[in-house]
Amino acid sequence: MGKQGSSPRGRRVENQDLDISFGVKEHEFRSLDLQHGGDPPIGRRLSGGEYNWDKVVLTKGMKNDSAKFTPCKGVYVGKRQMWWLHRHIRSIVFTLLLMGFLYLLDSLLFSIFDPAMLQSNFSLQGSSKTEVEMVPRAAKEGPVKLYERLLNLAASSLAEREFKQESSKLWEEPYPQASSWKPCGDKTSPHVVRAGKPRNITGYILISANGGLNQQRVAVCNAVAVASLLNATLVIPKFLYSNVWKDPSQFGDIYQEDYFMDMLKDEVNIIKELPPNLKLLDVEAAGSLITDADLSKEATPDEYIKKILPLLLRNRVVHFLGYGNRLGFDPLPYELQRLRCKCNFHALKFVPEIQQIGSLLVRRIRRYDFARSTLDKQLLGNLIPHVPLRHYHAAEGPSKYLALHLRFEIDMVAYSMCEFGGGETERSELQSYREVHFPLLLERLKKSKPLSPQELRKTGKCPLTPEEAGLVLAGLGFKHGTYIYLAGSDIYGGQSRMQALTTLYPNLVTKEDLLTPSELAPFRNFSSQLAALDFIACATSDVFAMTDSGSQLSSLVSGFRTYYGGGHAPTLRPSKKRLSAILSRNKTIGWHSFEGKIRKMIDEGQRVQVRGLGRSIYRHPRCKECMCRH
């Protein structure tokens, strides 16, 4: 999850470069566009609202005929002119009336479907503009233009689709097998019940987790499994302060401590603080300070038993500093894997303050006050009234929405080493950011031959841009007026980078649009708590679209939707590698061919599959340790 800052809120971008007009029979001119390099067709609205009628076609006959009647022929010429006007008066009047009718009709349609008009109709809680906080590029630079031809084709397609019935399949899980998997990670093993509460026979485990909200969540559940493995007592984890996220929030500011301890009490000893006699122990001097360098990235249980257990028995305390993803998924005993599931999907509940504002956020974007699914109940508790699923069908209701996690913040963009059309200014900007925030990355690159930006893009290593996200949604068939919740808001490139997306989909909102400044004020300087609001809005959405499979927020949200969605919570997972191959033909590919390839790509990502060996149990909970198949 990228940084959630408190920078000034930006303004909605109005695009004047892309042709999104909804003129009369505009679809008839698409083939003409392709033949003439995309020039505006006859009768299409241009910038400034003027028209480019083909005067040669309209006046050809008049010009040719009038050349015959010169002033030297006197009265005879005048009579000939009067005779010609009398003969053609009906054609002239009909032509003028037709031009006027077309002008009025086109103006009417354009006013109806003008993005600004659509946006004003989507005013929520006093907010009618999308205010996305963004990282600006150089102010003097214009908007970045990528895929201009495809974006114009997408705009034309959205115009044609506006009067057609939207397919309900867009808002449903395509495979019915998804509904056969049910949550059961909270079931306590009969073996654990018979053994009773574990005794503290080894020592205490301290955890200082790094990263943002979602990295810390993974670290907490890994720590629970490690404490169980080593039969140790876990002290409520601490969260490290990061210069990137700049958030001093601790566990109790985000999650309910007592609920967490109570949910796991039969399986793991958890306390809030070390006993007084151990608080003064210098764990570093005692050799009990463990960093990521001391453990493998996907460490096995055997590694913990051989390296950590002796320290725990000797010093009674082990401190994991900067702990994160340091426990592999396979091989792992069934009970430890199940415990991870129970921790992530059942034991970690947001504090009431976050639940309350999260409930307000969801209710405002949906525009109704009732829970729709188990996801609502699990994430929002009793702060949103519960209505059974059968009382509401997403495809029929007027308030369905799509949540989009656009992982295009500056940290992701800089770390990727890719290029995004911003030229030398962009390269200089991102290199400066790397020197400050990612010095180890630069050192590592000096020792090896890095891939070129083109090679990185071809292999699917580059985060999706806002333009690419818009093209994917348009290719799938989502209509121009689709309501979109944008998770995160520090989009690199500023308003110009968002211009193409907000032109295709003007009903795009963030938490800054939906909540008042006073409602957001308690969370302003706490990026992890702001990220929790995004987590709630994404997890409870009718459709969730991720743009980067490596994102922790996207991974955890998609896992939550799989676990609690009951087969009614579709997630869109584009393959960056396949999308790159499709977009490499952006100058020649036809729109219908583009749509077919996009839909096939997304369909393959939605197939119901059991968790594969080594895959994250947080993202892929369809397995015997987490879910039961009926």
Side-chain angles (χ1 to χ4, degrees):
M1 180 65 201
K3 180 175 59 176
Q4 308 270 343
S6 57
S7 58
R9 295 160 65 183
R11 289 185 173 272
R12 155 79 62 181
V13 180
E14 298 296 336
N15 190 338
Q16 296 179 352
D17 293 328
L18 291 180
D19 186 356
I20 191 80
S21 66
F22 294 84
V24 177
K25 296 184 180 179
E26 183 169 333
H27 59 277
E28 297 177 1
F29 304 121
R30 189 188 302 166
S31 60
L32 194 63
D33 284 353
L34 301 181
Q35 296 171 9
H36 299 284
D39 291 333
I42 298 171
R44 178 173 292 181
R45 180 179 290 274
L46 302 177
S47 60
E50 298 178 356
Y51 289 82
N52 185 24
W53 297 100
D54 193 336
K55 297 179 181 178
V56 176
V57 173
L58 296 177
T59 62
K60 181 178 179 182
M62 292 179 65
K63 287 185 178 180
N64 289 343
D65 289 344
S66 63
K68 300 176 183 178
F69 307 111
T70 61
C72 67
K73 296 193 178 181
V75 176
Y76 174 75
V77 173
K79 290 180 178 180
R80 288 284 301 274
Q81 289 176 339
M82 292 299 294
W83 171 82
W84 184 90
L85 288 173
H86 178 75
R87 181 179 178 181
H88 296 282
I89 188 66
R90 291 183 178 181
S91 299
I92 293 172
V93 172
F94 177 76
T95 301
L96 292 174
L97 289 174
L98 179 62
M99 290 173 62
F101 173 74
L102 292 176
Y103 177 84
L104 291 173
L105 181 60
D106 184 70
S107 299
L108 176 62
L109 291 175
F110 186 82
S111 66
I112 292 174
F113 298 108
D114 178 35
M117 296 289 289
L118 282 173
Q119 182 183 355
S120 65
N121 292 334
F122 189 58
S123 58
L124 295 168
Q125 192 61 25
S127 174
S128 62
K129 294 184 179 181
T130 299
E131 302 181 1
V132 181
E133 298 176 9
M134 301 185 186
V135 179
R137 288 171 58 247
K140 62 182 180 181
E141 292 192 12
V144 175
K145 294 183 179 179
L146 294 176
Y147 315 114
E148 190 168 8
R149 174 184 165 275
L150 267 181
L151 287 166
N152 279 324
L153 292 178
S156 297
S157 176
L158 290 179
E160 293 175 15
R161 200 181 296 143
E162 199 63 32
F163 297 104
K164 297 178 181 178
Q165 182 68 33
E166 184 177 62
S167 172
S168 62
K169 292 181 180 179
L170 287 171
W171 303 90
E172 298 172 353
E173 287 268 17
Y175 296 99
Q177 302 95 313
S179 61
S180 65
W181 289 87
K182 306 297 181 184
C184 59
D186 58 334
K187 303 293 190 297
T188 302
S189 166
H191 171 74
V192 173
V193 173
R194 285 196 302 270
K197 187 173 181 178
R199 295 170 298 159
N200 175 29
I201 59 173
T202 56
Y204 298 87
I205 290 179
L206 301 174
I207 296 290
S208 296
N210 61 6
L213 172 79
N214 301 291
Q215 292 91 335
Q216 291 167 349
R217 188 184 188 102
V218 170
V220 169
C221 293
N222 287 346
V224 167
V226 169
S228 176
L229 171 68
L230 302 179
N231 201 16
T233 293
L234 176 66
V235 180
I236 288 285
K238 301 291 185 183
F239 295 157
L240 294 176
Y241 181 84
S242 167
N243 288 329
V244 175
W245 283 272
K246 302 183 186 302
D247 185 358
S249 297
Q250 289 302 318
F251 187 97
D253 299 317
I254 301 171
Y255 302 111
Q256 300 177 35
E257 288 185 347
D258 291 338
Y259 185 91
F260 174 73
M261 296 169 66
D262 186 65
M263 178 61 66
L264 300 171
K265 65 182 180 180
D266 292 329
E267 297 165 278
V268 181
N269 282 316
I270 303 176
I271 60 176
K272 293 186 178 182
E273 293 183 352
L274 272 177
N277 63 312
L278 293 174
K279 284 184 178 181
L280 299 178
L281 176 68
D282 187 339
V283 292
E284 184 174 7
S288 284
L289 185 65
I290 307 298
T291 67
D292 279 359
D294 300 314
L295 291 168
S296 305
K297 185 176 182 180
E298 298 290 335
T300 63
D302 284 345
E303 186 172 345
Y304 279 92
I305 292 172
K306 291 176 181 177
K307 289 185 177 180
I308 308 303
L309 185 57
L311 294 174
L312 198 58
L313 291 171
R314 185 177 71 223
N315 299 322
R316 299 285 292 165
V317 177
V318 168
H319 183 190
F320 291 93
L321 180 63
Y323 192 68
N325 193 18
R326 283 297 183 270
L327 179 64
F329 290 101
D330 295 293
L332 203 69
Y334 173 91
E335 281 303 321
L336 295 184
Q337 206 75 285
R338 186 197 56 78
L339 195 53
R340 274 172 148 177
C341 271
K342 187 173 182 178
C343 171
N344 182 54
F345 296 113
H346 295 275
L348 291 175
K349 298 286 187 185
F350 292 125
V351 294
E353 294 81 0
I354 292 176
Q355 288 183 329
Q356 182 178 5
I357 299 301
S359 172
L360 199 60
L361 182 65
V362 171
R363 286 153 54 196
R364 282 182 183 163
I365 192 169
R366 288 180 180 167
R367 294 180 295 177
Y368 70 98
D369 290 334
F370 299 104
R372 180 175 66 83
S373 67
T374 307
L375 277 164
D376 293 350
K377 201 68 177 176
Q378 288 297 323
L379 288 166
L380 301 172
N382 295 320
L383 293 173
I384 184 167
H386 184 64
V387 172
L389 183 61
R390 64 178 180 272
H391 290 180
Y392 174 81
H393 193 278
E396 298 171 356
S399 49
K400 57 183 180 291
Y401 74 97
L402 179 149
L404 172 66
H405 183 215
L406 190 58
R407 188 67 171 93
F408 202 71
E409 295 92 347
I410 190 171
D411 60 323
M412 172 64 85
V413 171
Y415 195 84
S416 72
M417 300 299 296
C418 298
E419 292 183 358
F420 302 92
E424 188 55 41
T425 300
E426 176 187 283
R427 284 190 287 271
S428 176
E429 226 170 46
L430 296 180
Q431 182 64 15
S432 298
Y433 186 90
R434 292 182 198 109
E435 291 171 356
V436 174
H437 298 281
F438 304 128
L440 295 179
L441 171 65
L442 297 179
E443 287 296 321
R444 191 164 65 247
L445 291 174
K446 291 178 182 178
K447 300 175 183 178
S448 61
K449 183 181 179 181
L451 295 175
S452 68
Q454 294 76 21
E455 291 171 321
L456 289 170
R457 186 167 297 280
K458 185 181 292 186
T459 54
K461 304 297 184 184
C462 300
L464 264 63
T465 66
E467 300 97 322
E468 292 166 343
L471 286 171
V472 169
L473 295 179
L476 288 172
F478 286 99
K479 297 182 73 172
H480 179 67
T482 300
Y483 299 157
I484 298 177
Y485 177 85
L486 180 65
S489 50
D490 294 324
I491 303 301
Y492 175 70
Q495 297 176 351
S496 64
R497 188 90 242 186
M498 289 292 292
Q499 196 168 10
L501 176 59
T502 54
T503 300
L504 292 176
Y505 293 101
N507 290 338
L508 184 148
V509 293
T510 67
K511 54 186 171 294
E512 287 79 13
D513 296 311
L514 299 166
L515 300 172
T516 65
S518 61
E519 289 165 346
L520 274 174
F523 309 99
R524 271 294 176 195
N525 297 318
F526 305 97
S527 62
S528 290
Q529 296 178 45
L530 288 171
L533 297 178
D534 279 337
F535 188 103
I536 290 170
C538 288
T540 58
S541 64
D542 296 283
V543 174
F544 173 58
M546 62 168 66
T547 60
D548 180 30
S549 59
S551 161
Q552 286 281 17
L553 182 139
S554 290
S555 294
L556 292 176
V557 165
S558 65
F560 244 81
R561 292 170 65 81
T562 297
Y563 192 78
Y564 285 117
H568 302 281
T571 297
L572 311 180
R573 302 178 179 90
S575 163
K576 292 188 291 184
K577 185 175 180 179
R578 289 186 61 178
L579 182 61
S580 175
I582 297 170
L583 292 174
S584 67
R585 299 173 50 201
N586 73 87
K587 294 182 180 179
T588 58
I589 191 171
W591 183 251
H592 291 300
S593 176
F594 178 81
E595 286 180 320
K597 291 181 181 299
I598 292 295
R599 289 171 183 174
K600 183 178 179 181
M601 174 186 69
I602 295 298
D603 180 75
E604 291 179 2
Q606 291 183 304
R607 291 178 180 173
V608 178
Q609 297 177 337
V610 176
R611 184 183 76 91
L613 187 68
R615 305 299 295 274
S616 168
I617 205 162
Y618 307 119
R619 179 178 176 182
H620 303 282
R622 287 193 187 108
C623 60
K624 61 182 181 180
E625 297 92 343
C626 285
M627 302 185 74
C628 302
R629 190 171 184 177
H630 299 282

Coordinates of all heavy atoms in Angstrom, one line a residue, residues 12 115-130 361 363-367 398-402 480-486 505-510 513-514:
R12 N -10.6 17.7 -9.7 CA -11.0 16.9 -10.9 C -10.4 17.4 -12.1 O -10.4 18.6 -12.4 CB -12.5 16.8 -10.9 CG -13.1 16.5 -12.3 CD -13.0 15.0 -12.5 NE -13.8 14.3 -11.6 CZ -13.9 13.0 -11.6 NH1 -13.3 12.3 -12.4 NH2 -14.7 12.4 -10.7
P115 N -18.8 14.7 -19.4 CA -18.3 14.2 -18.1 C -18.6 15.1 -16.9 O -18.9 14.7 -15.8 CB -16.8 14.1 -18.4 CG -16.7 13.9 -19.9 CD -17.8 14.6 -20.5
A116 N -18.5 16.4 -17.1 CA -18.7 17.3 -16.0 C -20.2 17.2 -15.5 O -20.5 17.3 -14.4 CB -18.4 18.8 -16.4
M117 N -21.1 17.1 -16.5 CA -22.5 16.9 -16.1 C -22.7 15.7 -15.4 O -23.4 15.6 -14.4 CB -23.4 17.0 -17.4 CG -23.3 18.3 -18.2 SD -24.2 19.6 -17.3 CE -25.9 19.1 -17.5
L118 N -22.2 14.6 -15.9 CA -22.3 13.3 -15.2 C -21.7 13.3 -13.8 O -22.3 12.8 -12.9 CB -21.6 12.2 -16.0 CG -22.3 11.6 -17.3 CD1 -21.4 10.7 -18.0 CD2 -23.6 11.0 -16.9
Q119 N -20.6 14.0 -13.7 CA -20.0 14.1 -12.4 C -20.8 14.9 -11.4 O -20.9 14.5 -10.2 CB -18.6 14.8 -12.6 CG -17.8 14.8 -11.3 CD -16.5 15.5 -11.4 OE1 -16.2 15.9 -12.5 NE2 -15.9 15.8 -10.4
S120 N -21.5 15.9 -11.9 CA -22.3 16.7 -11.0 C -23.5 15.9 -10.5 O -24.0 16.2 -9.4 CB -22.7 18.0 -11.7 OG -23.6 17.7 -12.7
N121 N -23.9 15.0 -11.3 CA -25.0 14.1 -10.8 C -24.6 13.1 -9.8 O -25.4 12.5 -9.1 CB -25.6 13.3 -12.0 CG -26.3 14.3 -13.0 OD1 -26.8 15.3 -12.6 ND2 -26.3 13.9 -14.3
F122 N -23.3 13.0 -9.6 CA -22.8 12.0 -8.6 C -22.3 12.7 -7.4 O -21.3 12.4 -6.8 CB -21.7 11.2 -9.3 CG -21.3 10.0 -8.4 CD1 -22.2 9.1 -8.0 CD2 -20.0 9.8 -8.0 CE1 -21.8 8.0 -7.2 CE2 -19.6 8.8 -7.2 CZ -20.5 7.8 -6.9
S123 N -23.0 13.7 -6.9 CA -22.5 14.4 -5.8 C -22.9 13.6 -4.5 O -24.0 13.3 -4.3 CB -23.2 15.8 -5.7 OG -24.6 15.7 -5.7
L124 N -21.9 13.4 -3.7 CA -22.1 12.6 -2.5 C -21.6 13.4 -1.3 O -20.5 13.8 -1.2 CB -21.3 11.3 -2.6 CG -21.8 10.3 -3.7 CD1 -20.7 9.2 -3.8 CD2 -23.1 9.7 -3.4
Q125 N -22.6 13.6 -0.4 CA -22.2 14.3 0.9 C -21.5 15.6 0.6 O -20.4 15.9 1.1 CB -21.4 13.4 1.8 CG -21.2 13.8 3.2 CD -22.5 13.9 3.9 OE1 -23.4 13.3 3.6 NE2 -22.6 14.8 4.9
G126 N -22.1 16.4 -0.3 CA -21.5 17.7 -0.5 C -20.3 17.7 -1.4 O -19.6 18.7 -1.5
S127 N -20.0 16.6 -2.0 CA -18.8 16.6 -2.8 C -19.2 16.2 -4.2 O -19.7 15.1 -4.5 CB -17.8 15.6 -2.3 OG -16.7 15.4 -3.2
S128 N -18.9 17.0 -5.2 CA -19.2 16.7 -6.6 C -18.0 16.7 -7.5 O -18.1 16.5 -8.7 CB -20.2 17.8 -7.1 OG -19.6 19.0 -7.1
K129 N -16.8 16.7 -6.9 CA -15.6 16.6 -7.7 C -14.7 15.6 -7.1 O -14.6 15.5 -5.9 CB -14.9 18.0 -7.7 CG -15.7 19.1 -8.5 CD -14.8 20.4 -8.5 CE -15.6 21.5 -9.3 NZ -14.8 22.7 -9.4
T130 N -14.0 14.9 -8.0 CA -13.1 13.9 -7.5 C -11.8 14.7 -7.1 O -11.2 15.3 -7.9 CB -12.7 12.9 -8.6 OG1 -13.9 12.2 -9.0 CG2 -11.7 11.9 -8.1
L361 N -18.3 5.5 5.0 CA -17.8 5.6 3.7 C -18.5 4.7 2.7 O -18.9 5.1 1.6 CB -16.3 5.2 3.7 CG -15.4 5.2 2.5 CD1 -15.3 6.6 1.9 CD2 -14.1 4.6 2.8
R363 N -21.6 3.3 3.1 CA -23.0 3.7 2.9 C -23.2 4.9 2.0 O -24.1 4.9 1.2 CB -23.6 4.0 4.3 CG -23.8 2.7 5.1 CD -23.8 3.0 6.6 NE -24.7 4.0 7.1 CZ -24.6 4.6 8.3 NH1 -23.6 4.2 9.1 NH2 -25.4 5.5 8.6
R364 N -22.2 5.8 2.0 CA -22.3 6.9 1.1 C -22.1 6.6 -0.3 O -22.8 7.1 -1.2 CB -21.4 8.0 1.6 CG -21.9 8.8 2.8 CD -21.0 9.9 3.2 NE -21.6 10.5 4.4 CZ -20.9 11.3 5.2 NH1 -19.6 11.6 5.0 NH2 -21.4 11.8 6.3
I365 N -21.2 5.7 -0.6 CA -20.9 5.4 -2.0 C -22.0 4.5 -2.5 O -22.4 4.6 -3.7 CB -19.5 4.8 -2.2 CG1 -19.2 4.7 -3.7 CG2 -19.4 3.4 -1.6 CD1 -17.8 4.4 -4.0
R366 N -22.6 3.6 -1.7 CA -23.7 2.8 -2.1 C -25.0 3.6 -2.1 O -26.0 3.2 -2.8 CB -23.9 1.6 -1.1 CG -22.8 0.6 -1.2 CD -23.1 -0.5 -0.2 NE -22.1 -1.6 -0.3 CZ -21.9 -2.5 0.7 NH1 -22.8 -2.5 1.7 NH2 -21.0 -3.5 0.6
R367 N -25.1 4.5 -1.2 CA -26.3 5.3 -1.0 C -27.5 4.5 -0.5 O -28.6 4.7 -0.8 CB -26.7 6.0 -2.4 CG -25.7 7.1 -2.8 CD -26.1 7.7 -4.1 NE -26.1 6.8 -5.2 CZ -26.5 7.1 -6.4 NH1 -26.9 8.3 -6.7 NH2 -26.5 6.1 -7.4
P398 N -29.2 0.3 -8.1 CA -28.6 1.4 -8.7 C -27.3 1.9 -8.0 O -26.6 2.8 -8.5 CB -29.7 2.5 -8.5 CG -30.3 2.1 -7.2 CD -30.3 0.6 -7.2
S399 N -26.9 1.3 -6.9 CA -25.8 1.8 -6.2 C -24.6 0.8 -6.1 O -23.8 0.8 -5.2 CB -26.2 2.1 -4.7 OG -27.0 1.0 -4.2
K400 N -24.5 -0.1 -7.1 CA -23.3 -0.9 -7.1 C -22.1 -0.1 -7.5 O -22.2 0.9 -8.2 CB -23.5 -2.1 -8.1 CG -23.8 -1.7 -9.5 CD -24.1 -2.9 -10.3 CE -24.4 -2.6 -11.8 NZ -25.7 -1.9 -11.9
Y401 N -20.9 -0.5 -7.0 CA -19.7 0.2 -7.4 C -18.5 -0.7 -7.5 O -18.5 -1.8 -7.0 CB -19.4 1.3 -6.3 CG -18.9 0.8 -5.0 CD1 -17.5 0.8 -4.7 CD2 -19.7 0.4 -4.0 CE1 -17.0 0.4 -3.5 CE2 -19.2 -0.1 -2.8 CZ -17.9 -0.1 -2.5 OH -17.4 -0.5 -1.3
L402 N -17.5 -0.3 -8.2 CA -16.3 -1.0 -8.5 C -15.2 -0.3 -7.7 O -15.1 1.0 -7.8 CB -16.0 -1.0 -10.0 CG -14.7 -1.7 -10.4 CD1 -14.9 -2.3 -11.8 CD2 -13.5 -0.7 -10.5
H480 N -19.6 4.1 -19.2 CA -19.1 5.4 -18.9 C -19.5 5.9 -17.5 O -18.7 6.6 -16.8 CB -19.6 6.4 -20.0 CG -19.1 7.8 -19.8 ND1 -17.8 8.2 -19.9 CD2 -19.8 8.9 -19.6 CE1 -17.7 9.5 -19.8 NE2 -18.9 10.0 -19.5
G481 N -20.7 5.6 -17.1 CA -21.2 6.1 -15.8 C -20.9 5.2 -14.6 O -21.5 5.5 -13.5
T482 N -20.1 4.2 -14.7 CA -19.8 3.3 -13.6 C -19.2 4.1 -12.4 O -18.3 4.9 -12.6 CB -18.8 2.2 -14.1 OG1 -19.4 1.4 -15.1 CG2 -18.4 1.3 -12.9
Y483 N -19.7 3.8 -11.2 CA -19.2 4.4 -10.0 C -17.9 3.6 -9.6 O -17.9 2.4 -9.5 CB -20.2 4.3 -8.9 CG -21.5 5.1 -9.2 CD1 -22.6 4.7 -8.5 CD2 -21.5 6.1 -10.1 CE1 -23.8 5.4 -8.7 CE2 -22.7 6.8 -10.3 CZ -23.9 6.4 -9.7 OH -25.0 7.1 -9.9
I484 N -16.8 4.4 -9.5 CA -15.5 3.8 -9.2 C -14.9 4.4 -7.9 O -14.8 5.6 -7.8 CB -14.5 3.9 -10.3 CG1 -15.0 3.2 -11.6 CG2 -13.1 3.4 -9.9 CD1 -14.1 3.4 -12.8
Y485 N -14.6 3.6 -6.9 CA -13.9 4.0 -5.7 C -12.4 3.8 -5.9 O -12.0 2.7 -6.2 CB -14.4 3.3 -4.5 CG -13.6 3.7 -3.2 CD1 -14.0 4.8 -2.5 CD2 -12.5 3.0 -2.8 CE1 -13.3 5.2 -1.4 CE2 -11.7 3.4 -1.7 CZ -12.1 4.5 -1.0 OH -11.4 4.9 0.1
L486 N -11.6 4.8 -5.8 CA -10.2 4.8 -6.0 C -9.5 4.6 -4.7 O -9.5 5.6 -3.9 CB -9.7 6.0 -6.8 CG -8.2 6.0 -7.1 CD1 -7.7 4.9 -8.0 CD2 -7.7 7.4 -7.6
Y505 N -14.1 7.6 -17.2 CA -14.9 7.2 -16.1 C -14.9 8.4 -15.1 O -14.2 8.4 -14.2 CB -14.4 6.0 -15.4 CG -14.5 4.7 -16.3 CD1 -13.5 4.2 -17.0 CD2 -15.8 4.1 -16.5 CE1 -13.6 3.1 -17.8 CE2 -15.9 3.0 -17.3 CZ -14.8 2.5 -18.0 OH -15.0 1.5 -18.8
P506 N -15.8 9.4 -15.4 CA -15.8 10.6 -14.5 C -16.4 10.4 -13.1 O -16.1 11.1 -12.2 CB -16.7 11.5 -15.3 CG -17.6 10.6 -16.1 CD -16.8 9.5 -16.5
N507 N -17.2 9.3 -12.9 CA -17.8 9.0 -11.6 C -16.8 8.3 -10.7 O -17.0 7.2 -10.2 CB -19.1 8.2 -11.7 CG -20.2 9.1 -12.3 OD1 -20.1 10.3 -12.2 ND2 -21.1 8.4 -12.9
L508 N -15.6 8.8 -10.6 CA -14.5 8.2 -9.8 C -14.3 9.1 -8.5 O -14.1 10.3 -8.6 CB -13.2 8.2 -10.6 CG -12.0 7.5 -10.0 CD1 -11.2 6.9 -11.2 CD2 -11.1 8.5 -9.3
V509 N -14.4 8.4 -7.4 CA -14.3 9.1 -6.1 C -13.3 8.4 -5.2 O -12.9 7.3 -5.4 CB -15.7 9.1 -5.4 CG1 -16.7 9.9 -6.2 CG2 -16.2 7.7 -5.2
T510 N -12.8 9.2 -4.2 CA -11.9 8.7 -3.2 C -12.6 9.0 -1.8 O -13.6 9.6 -1.7 CB -10.6 9.4 -3.2 OG1 -10.8 10.8 -2.9 CG2 -10.0 9.3 -4.6
D513 N -13.4 12.5 -1.2 CA -14.7 13.0 -1.8 C -15.9 12.7 -0.9 O -16.8 13.5 -0.7 CB -14.9 12.4 -3.1 CG -13.9 12.8 -4.1 OD1 -13.6 14.0 -4.2 OD2 -13.3 11.9 -4.8
L514 N -15.9 11.5 -0.3 CA -17.0 10.9 0.3 C -17.2 11.4 1.8 O -18.3 11.4 2.4 CB -17.0 9.4 0.3 CG -17.1 8.9 -1.2 CD1 -16.7 7.4 -1.2 CD2 -18.4 9.1 -1.8

